[in-house]
Amino acid sequence: MTGTALLVLLSLGTVGGAHLLSKARWTWRAPRLGIALWQALGLSWGVATIGALLGAALLPYRKGVAGGVPGMLADQAGRLDTVHLVALLAAVSLTVVLLAMLMYAVFRVVRARRRHRALLALVSRSDSAAPGTLVLDHPGAAAYCVPGVRSSKVVVSAGTLALLDADELAAVLAHERAHARERHDLVLLPFTSLRQVFPQIRLVGRCLDAVELLIEMAADDRARRHRPPRELATALLRFAAARPGPAPSGTLGVATADDIPVMVRVQRLLEPQPVRRSVRAVVMAAVPLLAGLPLLLYAIPH
């Protein structure tokens, strides 16, 4: 019972932690730390919730989760009554749904990218003003990355070439290449699939929004290693004024028409504020603890 109770508390605690983290602003100072903490919270919630359901189902075996599963398999769940069978079914169902939706999200993204790559092969062109990128003859402002396993494509529109000067364009391209190098698309996939599982829960939507903003900030930080931050800041402001549309499905765009995140990104580019060492140390210790704690609780006997 002890391990199961702790797993329940951990599951509820990660939900509370996600609520607090979705409102936190210190993560803007260290977006990579924030992303790692979000990933640890999400993993801990999933493993703890499934473990809590399994622990409740296996209470008659009095050996916890890790010890109860072999016993249940050995006697073909002979000790489980209706209530415990329902808990077992809930644990199995949640596991299957989470994995299935993750695989479905991967399938949708891969299919969307394959279609978009085929379209780009037909309508895009190269341009000396943006070497190493694909250019679309469209008057609107657009710049995005199409991630890939073997190769990623950075795409800009003719409208972007007209909108930005050479330095601003170089900063935008550095931002998009940062998305490709750090595979931010893989960071988003679990949170995207979680929103598909729980579309009506606002907290899940806020979590995804928070992670999306953090990966944009992480790409900003990598871009300013190679370009002056003012170049990317002015490019973001120009994009915001041009009111760009959403990036195509399966891609990562430099900016959207939402002014608030853009202004936050511009401010942190022009006035960076490093996170305190104490906060960094606590988060770096919390990430592996959150990720590994549910598995340790699986081993606690009744």
Side-chain angles (χ1 to χ4, degrees):
M1 186 79 177
T2 303
T4 301
L6 291 175
L7 284 167
V8 171
L9 290 176
L10 181 58
S11 176
L12 295 175
T14 55
V15 173
H19 175 73
L20 294 176
L21 192 59
S22 68
K23 298 183 177 181
R25 296 296 176 262
W26 67 263
T27 55
W28 296 353
R29 301 180 182 182
R32 286 180 178 82
L33 276 181
I35 292 170
L37 187 55
W38 272 115
Q39 290 175 312
L41 271 176
L43 178 62
S44 184
W45 172 84
V47 177
T49 303
I50 293 169
L53 292 170
L54 278 176
L58 298 172
L59 284 177
Y61 294 91
R62 306 180 65 83
K63 294 182 179 180
V65 176
V69 170
M72 180 192 68
L73 296 177
D75 71 354
Q76 299 180 351
R79 299 187 191 179
L80 302 187
D81 57 19
T82 302
V83 174
H84 295 106
L85 284 173
V86 169
L88 178 63
L89 179 61
V92 173
S93 299
L94 180 59
T95 303
V96 171
V97 168
L98 290 177
L99 292 177
M101 292 307 293
L102 179 59
M103 293 300 101
Y104 179 60
V106 171
F107 170 75
R108 287 184 59 186
V109 167
V110 170
R111 182 179 61 180
R113 287 177 189 164
R114 184 182 297 115
R115 290 177 177 176
H116 195 67
R117 286 174 181 270
L119 180 62
L120 289 173
L122 296 175
V123 301
S124 65
R125 60 179 174 83
S126 59
D127 194 302
S128 59
T133 66
L134 301 177
V135 178
L136 297 176
D137 287 318
H138 190 281
Y144 56 88
C145 166
V146 186
V149 176
R150 290 178 295 179
S151 65
S152 300
K153 305 294 183 182
V154 176
V155 183
V156 297
S157 65
T160 298
L161 299 182
L163 178 68
L164 306 179
D165 64 28
D167 291 336
E168 293 167 345
L169 178 62
V172 167
L173 296 182
H175 172 97
E176 292 305 326
R177 287 167 184 150
H179 280 317
R181 290 191 188 98
E182 298 187 6
R183 293 309 307 265
H184 289 152
D185 56 309
L186 300 181
V187 175
L188 282 177
L189 271 176
F191 298 95
T192 302
S193 64
L194 195 62
R195 186 174 63 174
Q196 293 173 348
V197 176
F198 305 108
Q200 303 302 323
I201 299 179
R202 293 183 180 181
L203 178 59
V204 176
R206 295 207 313 269
C207 294
L208 178 59
D209 291 341
V211 175
E212 286 179 338
L213 180 57
L214 289 178
I215 67 171
E216 292 301 328
M217 290 178 173
D220 291 344
D221 288 347
R222 189 178 183 98
R224 69 179 175 185
R225 295 181 189 175
H226 309 285
R227 307 295 308 184
R230 185 170 294 276
E231 294 176 357
L232 182 56
T234 56
L236 290 174
L237 290 174
R238 291 182 188 274
F239 263 97
R243 313 301 294 179
S249 177
T251 68
L252 297 169
V254 68
T256 66
D258 195 336
D259 295 336
I260 296 177
V262 168
M263 294 308 299
V264 168
R265 291 168 60 191
V266 169
Q267 183 177 3
R268 69 182 298 275
L269 281 168
L270 299 179
E271 299 177 1
Q273 297 181 354
V275 69
R276 289 182 297 178
R277 290 184 178 180
S278 58
V279 174
R280 184 179 296 273
V282 169
V283 174
M284 291 180 68
V287 167
L289 180 62
L290 278 172
L293 185 56
L295 295 178
L296 294 177
L297 296 180
Y298 274 37
I300 295 180
H302 181 74

